[in-house]
Amino acid sequence: MARRASMISPEEALETILGEVRLLSAEMVPLFDAPGRVLARDIVATVDIPSVDNSAMDGYALSAADARGATKERPARLPVRGEIRAGPGGDAPAVTAGSAVRIMTGAPVPRGADSVVQFEDTAEEDGSVLVFREVEKGENIRRAGEDVTRGAVVLASGVRIGSAETGLLASLNRTFIPVSRRPAAAILSTGDEIVDLGQELKDGQIRNSNAYTLHSEIRRYGGNPRYLGIAPDTKEATVAMLREALEADVVITTGGVSMGRYDFVTEALGELGVEIMIETIRMKPGKPCVFGRKGTTLFFGLPGNPVSTMVSFIQFVRPALLRMMGARRIEKPLVRAVLAEDIRKKTGRTHFVRGIFSVLDGNFSVSTTGPQGSGILRSMSDANCLIIIPEETGNVRAGETVLIQLIEHGEI
Ligand code: AMP
Ligand code: MG
């Protein structure tokens, strides 16, 4: 039987867990598959973006000096020496003193020009452009390298690739991207009363929802989930199914970690040589929560109640998965909000109350989702945040300020 670890705070639990994380190896993936993955290497620009000075507007390239003093009534009149379109075009006409060149957005700024004035501030007649205002040197010119400078680290390893990063990688002509391998995450449900989808539900039985919430969460945070089924409440079956599960990088079970007579997970882990570091955490929901490691495999035995499963996943498994992939940002934003209703609470555990926040004129206010039973999965579906009430705090009153964790927001 594994050593029984003492009850610790959620902060201590996370620290213990992150301390056991090992970085996964890297692999190359096509750019289209890169979103959601974590960069395993720095990406250094091999080119300037944009590659040359180019126009930010449709208009006329000119020398700012030639429009000095120009007004609507007394426009500067400059002969138009030609036109430059975006894209590869033969020899661009140069701008000589006292002349202008018609130019389209994105086209390279011709020699001799130091600014661009947009069509709206001009008129063209008899082969000349009338410029109705003064122009500032450098106006409407995008400088070579202003977005990305050659030689600079554009994206650092540990960045989670989103849409903008994908676009940057595309501008750098990167078709294959070095990312951390996705952690293989085995999901195992436990419980004689748990029934899988498609099977008839008899009295007293419970539909397996946890495997599906976990599968979705693992995907969302870049892992590669594999659902292994439901282990019945016997030690032998639990050992057999866990043995297979332990091939993965991360194993997540639900249920079977309380003090009930049929809670076999901890015992099975002992038999399989998993070193257990956490067994209970001073939090609600989610007090029984087993964490251990065997070799490089991390084990999470989450409590069975659907809300406890999700809250524990968000607090502990999510950051571990992200850290395994080398992600720098693993924290959900915590912001202050004014409570719109009283919350009753005993001291001694951190509570993660499902909340709905709204923002009015930049001020956050938050109410609860209603009944907070750990079996009420609707409370998670209704919630857009978790109200975190520290362990030493008791009842909290409407009007007091609390911290809320923005669980739907990306990591910061
Ligand atoms: P346990 O810790 O195994 O006693 O489970 C606690 C509660 O969570 C029980 O009411 C279970 O029926 C419920 N539960 C356990 N596993 C699941 C699951 N996979 N899906 C939905 N509810 C579950
Ligand atoms: Mg059970």
Side-chain angles (χ1 to χ4, degrees):
M1 171 90 191
R3 164 178 71 87
R4 283 201 94 76
S6 58
M7 185 130 110
I8 59 175
S9 71
E11 295 79 16
E12 291 166 326
L14 182 59
E15 202 182 312
T16 301
I17 291 164
L18 294 179
E20 298 298 324
V21 166
R22 297 288 165 271
L23 197 61
L24 296 168
S25 56
E27 63 183 2
M28 300 296 280
V29 298
L31 182 57
F32 275 130
D33 296 331
R37 307 292 294 271
V38 177
L39 271 178
R41 315 245 181 282
D42 289 349
I43 301 293
V44 176
T46 48
V47 291
D48 279 334
I49 301 176
S51 58
V52 293
D53 291 357
N54 69 85
S55 178
M57 288 283 177
D58 294 327
Y60 295 88
L62 70 167
S63 167
D66 288 335
R68 194 166 296 139
T71 61
K72 181 84 191 157
E73 294 70 35
R74 297 178 48 110
R77 174 180 288 269
L78 308 172
V80 177
R81 301 195 65 223
E83 180 175 287
I84 312 172
R85 299 168 54 171
D91 279 339
V95 168
T96 51
S99 76
V101 164
R102 205 179 301 115
I103 190 166
M104 305 303 142
T105 303
V109 175
R111 258 180 307 116
D114 61 16
S115 49
V116 170
V117 57
Q118 60 263 48
F119 279 139
E120 291 83 338
D121 294 330
T122 64
E124 199 174 321
E125 61 179 37
D126 306 330
S128 287
V129 57
L130 305 180
V131 180
F132 297 129
R133 64 168 176 87
E134 292 203 325
V135 179
E136 235 176 274
K137 217 170 156 174
E139 204 178 322
N140 292 322
I141 292 183
R142 302 172 181 149
R143 292 283 168 213
E146 76 173 17
D147 187 1
V148 168
T149 313
R150 186 174 166 173
V153 174
V154 182
L155 296 167
S157 77
V159 164
R160 198 149 177 237
I161 301 171
S163 309
E165 291 73 23
T166 306
L168 272 172
L169 291 162
S171 357
L172 291 169
N173 194 28
R174 293 284 196 135
T175 44
F176 281 85
I177 313 301
V179 294
S180 299
R181 189 163 67 72
R182 292 152 70 99
I187 303 166
L188 189 61
S189 304
T190 73
D192 283 341
E193 79 282 25
I194 308 301
V195 175
D196 238 321
L197 277 61
Q199 283 167 309
E200 192 195 339
L201 201 66
K202 302 202 185 74
D203 274 354
Q205 293 187 317
I206 290 170
R207 192 68 76 187
N208 184 5
S209 60
N210 288 343
Y212 297 85
T213 47
L214 287 177
H215 197 279
S216 159
E217 285 284 276
I218 292 164
R219 276 261 170 89
R220 173 170 173 194
Y221 294 105
N224 193 12
R226 187 157 82 96
Y227 172 47
L228 298 181
I230 302 167
D233 286 326
T234 67
K235 197 172 99 181
E236 296 67 35
T238 310
V239 168
M241 292 185 84
L242 271 178
R243 183 172 283 127
E244 187 195 340
L246 285 167
E247 309 274 308
D249 299 306
V250 178
V251 177
I252 308 166
T253 64
T254 62
V257 290
S258 303
M259 298 300 280
R261 283 190 57 199
Y262 301 99
D263 291 328
F264 288 113
V265 169
T266 316
E267 226 178 302
L269 291 173
E271 200 144 299
L272 289 163
V274 176
E275 186 194 348
I276 296 175
M277 292 146 200
I278 298 172
E279 280 188 90
T280 42
I281 303 175
R282 291 194 302 270
M283 63 189 279
K284 186 180 178 181
K287 182 169 116 182
C289 183
V290 173
F291 170 73
R293 181 172 61 79
K294 183 181 184 187
T296 55
T297 301
L298 300 185
F299 175 88
F300 293 89
L302 305 185
N305 277 306
V307 176
S308 315
T309 292
M310 285 199 79
V311 169
S312 308
F313 180 96
I314 294 168
Q315 305 310 321
F316 306 119
V317 189
R318 176 193 60 78
L321 290 174
L322 290 171
R323 210 19 93 65
M324 290 177 98
M325 296 183 285
R328 301 257 176 98
R329 298 176 167 187
I330 63 168
E331 271 174 53
K332 294 289 192 192
L334 273 180
V335 301
R336 271 187 250 283
V338 175
L339 201 54
E341 63 187 273
D342 296 351
I343 297 180
R344 294 175 59 82
K345 175 184 177 293
K346 292 202 197 95
T347 59
R349 286 201 261 165
T350 302
H351 283 207
F352 295 85
V353 178
R354 276 73 71 209
I356 303 170
F357 77 85
S358 52
V359 188
L360 192 64
D361 295 334
N363 297 310
F364 285 72
S365 96
V366 68
S367 52
T368 75
T369 56
Q372 295 287 312
S374 57
I376 303 174
L377 194 49
R378 279 287 303 278
S379 71
M380 280 305 293
S381 147
D382 289 343
N384 60 7
C385 69
L386 292 172
I387 306 168
I388 302 185
I389 309 181
E391 68 177 69
E392 64 279 8
T393 303
N395 294 338
V396 209
R397 298 215 155 275
E400 288 187 44
T401 298
V402 288
L403 278 180
I404 60 173
Q405 186 184 38
L406 307 187
I407 52 179
E408 285 170 3
H409 194 284
E411 277 68 19
I412 57 168

